[in-house]
């Protein structure tokens, strides 16, 4: 699949988000604070990018851990 620059950047941001979710020291952080931390400008853009690459929402991903 051909990715545009935005997709390319967002893919790496989502990998970073997953690392943060997997680190138990980050349990106290909200999903939106993690989204902003990794460079997303809004929670909705983070949610849609996360679902695009992972097939689940960030909250469902986090609950499944």
């Amino acid at each position: 699949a051909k990715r545009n620059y935005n997709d390319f950047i967002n893919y790496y941001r989502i990998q970073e988000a997953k690392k943060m979710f997997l680190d138990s020291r980050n349990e106290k952080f909200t999903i939106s604070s993690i989204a902003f931390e990794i460079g997303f400008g809004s929670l909705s853009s983070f949610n849609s990018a996360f679902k695009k690459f992972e097939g689940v929402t960030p909250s469902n991903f986090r609950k499944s851990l």
Side-chain angles (χ1 to χ4, degrees):
K2 202 162 147 41
R3 287 207 183 122
N4 66 28
Y5 181 72
N6 241 10
D7 280 350
F8 182 76
I9 297 295
N10 285 346
Y11 175 79
Y12 283 98
R13 286 178 174 159
I14 297 305
Q15 302 316 302
E16 199 52 42
K18 283 172 23 189
K19 279 187 212 137
M20 290 182 77
F21 288 143
L22 291 164
D23 186 337
S24 59
R25 290 171 300 185
N26 293 325
E27 279 172 4
K28 61 185 177 294
F29 294 115
T30 62
I31 288 173
S32 54
S33 66
I34 287 176
F36 295 128
E37 176 75 25
I38 58 170
F40 279 91
S42 74
L43 186 56
S44 60
S45 61
F46 173 65
N47 281 336
S48 52
F50 197 97
K51 194 163 167 74
K52 178 180 189 177
F53 294 115
E54 299 304 318
V56 293
T57 61
S59 54
N60 284 341
F61 179 85
R62 201 175 208 182
K63 277 182 208 138
S64 73
L65 298 176

